[in-house]
Amino acid sequence: MAQTLTFGDSCAPLTCHAWNKERNQIAFSPNNNEVHIYQKEGNDWKQTDNLVEHDMRVMGIDWAPNTNRIVTCSVDRNAYVWTQNEEGKWTTTLVLLRINRAATCVKWSPMENKFAVGSGARLISICYFEKENNWWVSKHIKKPIRSTITTLDWHPNNILLVAGSTDFKVRVFSAYIKDIEDQPGPNVWGSKLPLGQLLAEFPSAGSGWVHSVSFSGDGNKVAWVGHDSSINVADAAQGKAVIKLKTEYLPFLGCIWVSNNFLVVAGHSCIPLLYCHDGDQIKFVAKLDNTQRKESGGLSAMKKFQSLDRQARIETNDTFLDSIHQNAITCINLHKGSKANAKKFSTSGLDGQLVIWDMESLERSIEGLKIA
Amino acid sequence: MAKNTSSSAFRKIDIDQYNEDNFREDEAEQSIPAGPDEGEVCKYVDALKHVLTNAPIGTSNQQVKDNALALTLKVLLAIKSAQIEDAVANLSVDDIDILMKYIYRGFEYPSEGSSGHLLLWHEKAYNIGGSGSIVRVLSDRMKV
């Protein structure tokens, strides 16, 4: 049903991860300033490179599938674009972000000609390549952002950008760079699209930090999750009204559309959940992880002393959870298929595990589940 | 050798209570359990719904909030333990969130027996709202 991967001996939390196009290489950060690249060889994953250029914790990684470039951003206020040379070594290109606070998240645009970086400097840097100087320059989206940008996602049309921030608001901006692309036509979100144009703002009174945003496959809907354990969907085709579902779970840290109406959310409860947006409500569909805890094989002396040694306690009740992930899930990515029709997705979290979930086998194993 | 102490506490022990022949007044006659008054209970459950839906979460006036808190605590403490489950079952998800906020604020101002009663409320509210409603008490800027 789900395939679990661990990389190396370390059990450090995975801050975030990104796949290459063939899904045989993965980049992730083990919660420090490094980015590790692993390649699949047979059934094993071997480390092929270690990208050390940042000097503080890496916050975001994104891998452009077609141009095979990696972009990373970090608390040290820098972002780097990594390209592979003929020998297969990754080399950096400088990005001029012009920010004075940590960079928190980064995403390639669908056409891979620009990327967006969110930061604590209360702005979004839209970066594009400048041939003359061989570096990436940026333009800023500043207004009306009043706090740290925590999450970003691109509209499939390569122009619009949705951003969530710590002031509890989700905003849709135009990220049109006239230096590198043609004038975009109107769409459901708006018709006038100069850079930084605010096309929608979704305030959620009270609630909590926005942890993750996602444009749907057709680009008409935006979903986001916040620290108030809520799931929110706004549909531009239906007047941009916000539908909010307050759930009974711990807050979600990631959300992603897996079809035009279904979305997967995951977070502090360690279990990915499937929800369905239908008309004017969001409905719970299924828990995607029905793992039962393995019964511990009675009381063995070995176990008893082990627990006494490791945790200084005699009780044999362990701390394993009824789920595959043993700690909060911090990142969800698509593994196979697209947002309109996802076949597999991957989650990584604070327990250092990466889990690949197969939609088809989930459909088979969970009674009555139909994802379409 | 026995210690010489000035303690005279033993003199205050009521030794008569250990005497089986001791006369006791029949207490049952004094307080006949009347049972919960149906009308009274309904009134409180309605009152609960009223204070929760009209909670002044949007205002920045602390006095208004404190007054509402006092009123809500009065209602919460007036509802009998046995009635809590029914009262909670009638509430919407939003009301449960606000109820949870009042429960936590109620813990800040304990009075005789109030905390135990609020813990009961907490248990029943948690059964419906789950961890989510507790998280919302912490994350929400709209305080009660």
Side-chain angles (χ1 to χ4, degrees):
Chain A
M1 180 168 104
Q3 183 191 356
T4 307
L5 306 174
T6 48
F7 302 96
D9 302 325
S10 113
C11 52
L14 300 186
T15 317
C16 48
H17 72 274
W19 297 95
N20 73 339
K21 189 182 186 183
E22 289 80 29
R23 305 296 193 239
N24 58 1
Q25 288 186 65
I26 184 171
F28 65 86
S29 171
N31 205 31
N32 58 13
N33 63 320
E34 298 171 359
V35 175
H36 295 183
I37 311 269
Y38 274 74
Q39 181 154 20
K40 191 173 187 179
E41 288 170 10
N43 278 330
D44 287 344
W45 289 82
K46 293 256 164 57
Q47 186 169 2
T48 56
D49 218 330
N50 186 7
L51 314 184
V52 190
E53 192 72 35
H54 289 291
D55 49 20
M56 288 170 98
R57 201 159 78 93
V58 172
M59 295 291 283
I61 304 172
D62 201 16
W63 198 321
N66 298 315
T67 47
N68 197 36
R69 290 188 293 216
I70 299 173
V71 59
T72 58
C73 73
S74 141
V75 175
D76 64 9
R77 298 169 303 172
N78 282 318
Y80 295 106
V81 175
W82 303 78
T83 43
Q84 219 168 2
N85 61 16
E86 289 78 30
E87 289 100 61
K89 271 281 162 210
W90 290 95
T91 54
T92 58
T93 319
L94 187 64
V95 182
L96 303 173
L97 286 181
R98 298 185 290 125
I99 54 176
N100 56 4
R101 295 285 188 279
T104 50
C105 49
V106 63
K107 273 273 164 65
W108 280 105
S109 73
M111 283 174 64
E112 303 173 16
N113 56 348
K114 54 185 178 179
F115 59 86
V117 179
S119 70
R122 305 187 300 183
L123 56 83
I124 304 167
S125 302
I126 311 292
C127 308
Y128 59 99
F129 192 64
E130 204 176 64
K131 268 211 188 78
E132 301 87 73
N133 297 311
N134 190 34
W135 62 29
W136 293 76
V137 292
S138 64
K139 290 192 170 178
H140 287 171
I141 298 177
K142 277 186 182 155
K143 280 179 187 164
I145 305 166
R146 304 287 299 154
S147 66
T148 301
I149 298 293
T150 49
T151 168
L152 294 165
D153 196 30
W154 284 91
H155 189 279
N157 74 358
N158 206 51
I159 298 294
L160 303 186
L161 185 70
V162 60
S165 61
T166 52
D167 59 1
F168 309 170
K169 289 196 173 81
V170 170
R171 299 184 180 92
V172 178
F173 292 104
S174 162
Y176 161 58
I177 304 280
K178 64 173 185 295
D179 311 53
I180 57 162
E181 52 201 351
D182 298 332
Q183 180 111 29
N187 59 59
V188 284
W189 293 93
S191 46
K192 280 187 61 143
L193 303 166
L195 175 71
Q197 177 77 36
L198 181 69
L199 299 166
E201 184 175 57
F202 304 111
S204 38
S207 69
W209 287 15
V210 179
H211 285 303
S212 180
V213 289
S214 180
F215 260 120
S216 64
D218 59 9
N220 287 348
K221 290 191 270 194
V222 166
W224 68 94
V225 290
H227 203 73
D228 57 346
S229 301
S230 70
I231 301 170
N232 306 267
V233 172
D235 191 342
Q238 290 178 4
K240 299 179 188 171
V242 178
I243 304 158
K244 186 183 191 97
L245 176 71
K246 291 176 174 176
T247 69
E248 68 266 39
Y249 303 99
L250 291 174
F252 304 113
L253 298 174
C255 67
I256 198 161
W257 291 93
V258 291
S259 83
N260 272 332
N261 291 319
F262 285 81
L263 77 159
V264 170
V265 296
H268 288 289
S269 338
C270 311
I271 295 175
L273 302 170
L274 185 70
Y275 280 85
C276 171
H277 169 239
D278 181 15
D280 59 352
Q281 53 181 331
I282 304 167
K283 281 186 268 186
F284 172 78
V285 180
K287 275 186 183 178
L288 298 182
D289 184 352
N290 291 323
T291 313
Q292 295 295 312
R293 190 161 61 133
K294 286 187 202 81
E295 278 304 317
S296 49
L299 183 97
S300 79
M302 162 101 162
K303 235 180 164 173
K304 184 174 163 183
F305 286 108
Q306 223 170 27
S307 119
L308 190 63
D309 187 32
R310 282 191 187 145
Q311 294 148 329
R313 53 178 201 180
I314 309 170
E315 308 98 271
T316 46
N317 55 350
D318 48 32
T319 51
F320 282 103
L321 303 176
D322 281 347
S323 59
I324 298 176
H325 274 292
Q326 292 295 307
N327 205 332
I329 297 170
T330 53
C331 181
I332 310 181
N333 277 317
L334 288 182
H335 184 264
K336 191 177 171 194
S338 66
K339 273 182 182 174
N341 186 15
K343 300 285 180 215
K344 287 181 183 178
F345 67 94
S346 59
T347 56
S348 66
L350 301 184
D351 55 355
Q353 294 190 94
L354 186 127
V355 182
I356 300 171
W357 309 81
D358 184 341
M359 296 304 238
E360 279 174 19
S361 68
L362 283 173
E363 273 187 5
R364 278 197 301 275
S365 66
I366 299 170
E367 209 176 312
L369 180 64
K370 189 89 192 81
I371 304 162
Chain B
M1 205 172 87
K3 264 188 192 161
N4 185 14
T5 67
S6 56
S7 166
S8 58
F10 66 92
R11 290 190 191 279
K12 296 193 173 124
I13 296 173
D14 176 16
I15 53 166
D16 286 341
Q17 69 174 311
Y18 300 109
N19 189 349
E20 281 173 4
D21 299 334
N22 196 10
F23 172 73
R24 278 187 131 166
E25 208 167 346
D26 210 346
E27 282 175 10
E29 294 214 331
Q30 287 178 344
S31 58
I32 304 159
D37 180 4
E38 194 72 34
E40 205 70 7
V41 167
C42 282
K43 242 169 36 200
Y44 280 126
V45 172
D46 287 344
L48 177 68
K49 241 186 132 46
H50 183 78
V51 290
L52 292 183
T53 45
N54 295 301
I57 50 172
T59 178
S60 55
N61 186 341
Q62 196 54 45
Q63 192 57 46
V64 174
K65 291 189 179 195
D66 287 347
N67 291 346
L69 173 70
L71 197 61
T72 311
L73 281 182
K74 215 173 183 178
V75 174
L76 289 181
L77 297 178
I79 295 178
K80 299 270 184 306
S81 309
Q83 307 293 330
I84 291 178
E85 197 148 11
D86 296 338
V88 171
N90 282 324
L91 297 176
S92 69
V93 180
D94 291 330
D95 287 344
I96 294 279
D97 285 353
I98 293 171
L99 171 63
M100 209 51 141
K101 289 177 191 173
Y102 274 119
I103 291 170
Y104 276 96
R105 269 214 83 197
F107 287 139
E108 290 177 30
Y109 307 99
S111 59
E112 179 74 40
S114 75
S115 294
H117 199 70
L118 285 178
L119 275 172
L120 260 179
W121 273 103
H122 186 275
E123 185 193 328
K124 304 298 179 203
Y126 176 81
N127 286 345
I128 296 182
S131 321
S133 64
I134 297 175
V135 167
R136 284 188 281 276
V137 172
L138 298 169
S139 76
D140 207 330
R141 292 276 168 84
M142 307 289 247
K143 305 276 185 213
V144 293

